[in-house]
Amino acid sequence: SGEPSGERYAKAIVRRSPIRNACRSDAVSRRSHRRPTSRGSAPKSPAVVAPASPSTRLGRTPGTGTAYLGMVVAAGGTMVLFPLFPTLQESLGLSTGSLGLVAAAGFGAALVTELLLAPQADRGHVRRMAVVALTLVALSLAASALATEAWHLVAARAVSGVGLGLYLPAAAGLLVRLAPLRAGEALGRLGTAELGGLAIGPLLASAALAWTDPGTVFAVAAVLAAVGAVVVGVRLREPV
């Protein structure tokens, strides 16, 4: 051709240049990545996690209502004693220091029980723990109805504290397993049930004291706690 030999030589050098070949390979690679693998196919979208099943909602999960009811009974039963203190102090001749000991015995027993026995709730003993807990609360109330000395009330109050310390971790462990996707909401409602029991127990006890004596108040509360233990034992079921 009419092209000078020097120009032909320069173009050949450029075509064989490794830099030019690398740029060309990179451009081809980019076009191949943008091109779909098959005609009409769309790029893959990121994986989407399926929404939680409606069965995990607390309102539709069997067993949660029973757990909350048992919490109200356990907390309320341990607090029945407090509005009865003035009457008990007068009728049994209790000192102010002995009343403080009675009050502290329940909370101390609950604290120790939760620390030592809470792991049992993770080993498949939730239902048994809940039934034993409410049974202990019922027995402590019955013993309080028969108390004639300060140490009787201290012992009964300690037993009720053991019951409360057993029930709380049992109910918490059960709720977390029943509604794992709503564990925070479930535990929040359990705390609400506990606070409700702490308020309802003294309120009902003080109202009943207006027309009866402390022994009868304790006896009625013991019957209610025993009924709660039966209900929990029949209706509470652990997840498989």
Side-chain angles (χ1 to χ4, degrees):
S1 60
E3 188 177 11
S5 59
E7 293 182 4
R8 289 199 302 272
Y9 179 76
K11 289 181 179 180
I13 293 297
V14 170
R15 283 196 298 267
R16 296 176 184 177
S17 171
I19 299 176
R20 178 184 177 89
N21 292 337
C23 294
R24 181 179 300 173
S25 300
D26 184 64
V28 172
S29 176
R30 291 178 183 176
R31 287 196 298 270
S32 64
H33 280 295
R34 289 196 299 265
R35 187 180 305 161
T37 55
S38 60
R39 183 172 298 178
S41 62
K44 294 182 179 181
S45 59
V48 178
V49 179
S53 172
S55 62
T56 59
R57 297 176 182 175
L58 293 181
R60 302 181 184 181
T61 305
T64 56
T66 303
Y68 298 141
L69 175 63
M71 186 74 260
V72 172
V73 173
T78 60
M79 297 297 290
V80 166
L81 178 67
F82 286 91
L84 308 180
F85 269 163
T87 306
L88 291 173
Q89 186 175 19
E90 181 180 354
S91 61
L92 300 181
L94 304 177
S95 64
T96 303
S98 63
L99 293 181
L101 186 59
V102 171
F107 296 116
L111 174 64
V112 174
T113 302
E114 286 193 41
L115 289 175
L116 297 180
L117 299 181
Q120 298 300 321
D122 300 324
R123 299 171 184 170
H125 304 302
V126 168
R127 180 170 172 269
R128 185 180 306 171
M129 289 175 65
V131 173
V132 170
L134 294 180
T135 302
L136 290 177
V137 172
L139 291 176
S140 71
L141 291 169
S144 299
L146 303 175
T148 57
E149 298 183 21
W151 72 268
H152 297 165
L153 293 176
V154 171
R157 175 73 177 159
V159 171
S160 70
V162 173
L164 182 61
L166 272 178
Y167 191 89
L168 187 57
L174 175 67
L175 291 172
V176 169
R177 293 165 61 189
L178 286 176
L181 300 181
R182 294 176 176 265
E185 181 182 354
L187 295 179
R189 292 188 180 186
L190 181 64
T192 301
E194 182 182 12
L195 293 175
L198 295 177
I200 292 173
L203 181 63
L204 295 180
S206 60
L209 191 60
W211 54 270
T212 188
D213 59 279
T216 304
V217 175
F218 282 128
V220 172
V223 172
L224 293 177
V227 171
V230 173
V231 172
V232 168
V234 171
R235 295 183 58 87
L236 199 64
R237 290 290 180 270
E238 297 186 52
V240 180

